């Protein structure tokens, strides 16, 4: 069974999961310079969730950054590779969507990249539609942006 709960951004498990995500993206893109704009932090992530397995081990995470105008961006969505395919990604996404609704968010946006075809398939399957790049992603050739109206 997978549980997903809100946690503080700066917990050790959150830091560990975000570091694993960054390492995976560094390997996929062949560089550590693949995030345009300001990296998310405790100062701008309004919701951060951690998924845990039966043994209460952190297996995934995700966060929300407010964009204004009743919009938010999904940040640091990640599930450890050994746990993929068990429903953790869907559970994290649903928890983020529920949290967004509670905050009055009407549109969720996100950015993924050309080196993440698995993420593209996941978001499209979950009802997110491709949109024009927004914010810091406008001039980024590897950025693919998606949105969903809640």
């Amino acid at each position: 069974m997978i549980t997903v709960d809100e946690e503080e951004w700066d917990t050790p498990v959150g830091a560990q999961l975000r570091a694993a995500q960054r390492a995976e993206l560094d390997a996929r893109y062949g560089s550590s310079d693949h995030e345009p704009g300001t990296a998310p932090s405790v100062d701008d992530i309004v919701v951060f969730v951690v998924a845990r397995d039966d043994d209460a081990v952190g297996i995934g995470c995700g966060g929300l950054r407010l964009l204004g105008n009743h919009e938010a961006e999904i940040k640091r969505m990640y599930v450890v590779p050994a746990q993929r395919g068990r429903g953790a990604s869907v559970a994290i996404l649903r928890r983020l969507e529920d949290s967004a609704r509670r905050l009055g968010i009407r549109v969720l946006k996100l950015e993924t990249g050309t080196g993440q075809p698995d993420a593209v398939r996941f978001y499209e399957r979950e009802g997110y539609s491709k949109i024009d790049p927004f914010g810091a992603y406008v001039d980024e050739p590897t950025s693919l942006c998606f949105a969903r109206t809640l």
Side-chain angles (χ1 to χ4, degrees):
M1 182 168 145
I2 296 168
T3 60
V4 182
D5 294 302
E6 287 190 26
E7 298 193 11
E8 296 296 318
W9 170 266
D10 52 3
T11 62
V13 69
Q16 180 183 20
L17 289 164
R18 291 189 308 274
Q21 182 214 30
R22 298 301 299 168
E24 183 175 329
L25 293 178
D26 290 353
R28 285 186 184 217
Y29 291 96
S31 161
S32 63
D33 183 25
H34 47 76
E35 180 171 13
T38 305
S41 71
V42 69
D43 296 327
D44 67 354
I45 296 297
V46 295
V47 173
F48 185 70
V49 300
V50 172
R52 295 179 183 276
D53 65 11
D54 291 334
D55 297 320
V57 173
I59 62 168
C61 63
L64 294 177
R65 173 190 275 168
L66 296 178
L67 297 175
N69 208 25
H70 302 286
E71 297 181 344
E73 180 181 4
I74 296 172
K75 297 297 292 181
R76 296 302 187 259
M77 179 86 175
Y78 178 72
V79 173
V80 297
Q83 297 294 326
R84 292 177 187 165
R86 294 186 55 219
S89 293
V90 172
I92 292 166
L93 187 60
R94 294 296 173 258
R95 183 65 187 257
L96 291 173
E97 290 170 345
D98 290 345
S99 296
R101 285 183 191 95
R102 276 196 329 272
L103 292 170
I105 302 302
R106 292 194 290 258
V107 176
L108 278 180
K109 293 182 174 182
L110 64 96
E111 182 266 353
T112 189
T114 56
Q116 297 162 265
D118 47 341
V120 170
R121 284 190 304 275
F122 169 73
Y123 289 118
E124 288 176 335
R125 185 182 73 230
E126 295 304 317
Y128 286 74
S129 299
K130 193 167 184 198
I131 61 169
D132 290 335
F134 63 96
Y137 313 115
V138 169
D139 293 322
E140 293 298 318
T142 62
S143 287
L144 300 171
C145 295
F146 293 82
R148 180 176 181 201
T149 300
L150 299 177

